Amino acid sequence: MKKIIYFIKLSRPLNTLIAGFAMVVASAILNNLNDLTIVTITALIVMAYTAGANSLNDASDVSTDLVNRPDRPIPVGAISQKSAIIFSFFLFSFGTILALKLNNSAIVISVFIAMPLMVIYSTHLKGKALVGNLAVSIVIGLSFLFCGAAHDKINPMWLPAILSFCLTFLRELVKDIADLKGDLSNGLATFPIMAGVHRSSQLIIFLSFSIGLLVIWPFFNKIYGFWYGFIVFIGVEIPLAIVVGLFISNPGIKSAIQAAKILKFSSLMGLIAIYLGFQL
């Protein structure tokens, strides 16, 4: 039983559940919640791929996690690196089998683009300045295009995809500063290591301002209604403002750790804002 709990922890269950819930909200935006089969399959695929990517990432990141996250299942010795890779393979296989039940567009996005990108990131791109950040951000954005493709309504998913891409890229850059010590000790080449914390903080501030303008644009252009603007202000604009304040007052690892936690749910809040903006 204890082993099972560690495997669940390896998959990062909160992140996995959020990814699945995001697909349910995306289906709601498309007014397709009544198609329970497609909603369930898309949510399960994204959850399986997310859990598989998290497991493979931990298996590929043991030396760094010994410094940055020593309480993870592999560093504490609860799960072997080999077992994590096998678990990841099982999850990716399960998601792929489910994906084959969908249309060709959804299969291409999930099986032939998103999943390979997840594997390549964990094995080759992680720790490479900005390239790894872009890979993760593209995968998150693709999840919404995947949901749209599965429902044959891909166009309404472009804005959620872009919003999620931008917020994920920002959070990944913030996490690189938070993980600076472990990444540095293991010879990685993340942007903060290559360009320095000061320049990274300046980029984070610039991106926060830019994303803040981007997410409010649909409201001022009357693409979405009042509730979109209200939820975006509470769930995205305020967190971005706090992130800017943190990095202006005290750029560094401590601010990055706080900012990463603050930004964790901003993408989900943006998605809920889009849903409410459509419906109300």
Side-chain angles (χ1 to χ4, degrees), residues 184-239:
L184 192 60
S185 66
N186 284 281
L188 299 184
T190 62
F191 188 74
I193 290 172
M194 301 298 290
V197 172
H198 179 67
R199 282 192 180 181
S200 300
S201 298
Q202 288 180 323
L203 180 57
I204 287 168
I205 292 168
F206 170 76
L207 289 174
S208 297
F209 273 115
S210 301
I211 294 169
L213 293 174
L214 174 67
V215 298
I216 207 66
W217 174 81
F219 173 70
F220 284 117
N221 282 272
K222 299 182 180 179
I223 296 174
Y224 301 133
F226 166 80
W227 285 106
Y228 171 84
F230 179 75
I231 300 298
V232 156
F233 179 75
I234 299 295
V236 181
E237 298 289 353
I238 289 178

Side-chain angles (χ1 to χ4, degrees), residues 121-197:
Y121 166 77
S122 292
T123 56
H124 293 89
L125 299 181
K126 185 176 175 62
K128 295 188 182 297
L130 299 184
V131 178
N133 308 104
L134 281 171
V136 174
S137 305
I138 289 169
V139 167
I140 299 299
L142 280 173
S143 66
F144 297 101
L145 298 183
F146 160 70
C147 184
H151 289 289
D152 289 313
K153 294 180 180 179
I154 200 166
N155 285 339
M157 286 291 99
W158 277 103
L159 186 58
I162 292 169
L163 173 62
S164 295
F165 168 84
C166 292
L167 286 169
T168 302
F169 185 77
L170 175 63
R171 185 167 182 266
E172 287 298 309
L173 186 58
V174 167
K175 283 168 61 182
D176 280 348
I177 296 180
D179 293 342
L180 186 62
K181 289 181 180 178
D183 293 345
L184 192 60
S185 66
N186 284 281
L188 299 184
T190 62
F191 188 74
I193 290 172
M194 301 298 290
V197 172

Side-chain angles (χ1 to χ4, degrees), residues 58-77:
D58 273 23
S60 306
D61 216 17
V62 178
S63 57
T64 305
D65 281 347
L66 284 169
V67 179
N68 291 332
R69 297 176 182 86
D71 61 333
R72 296 292 298 157
I74 298 177
V76 299

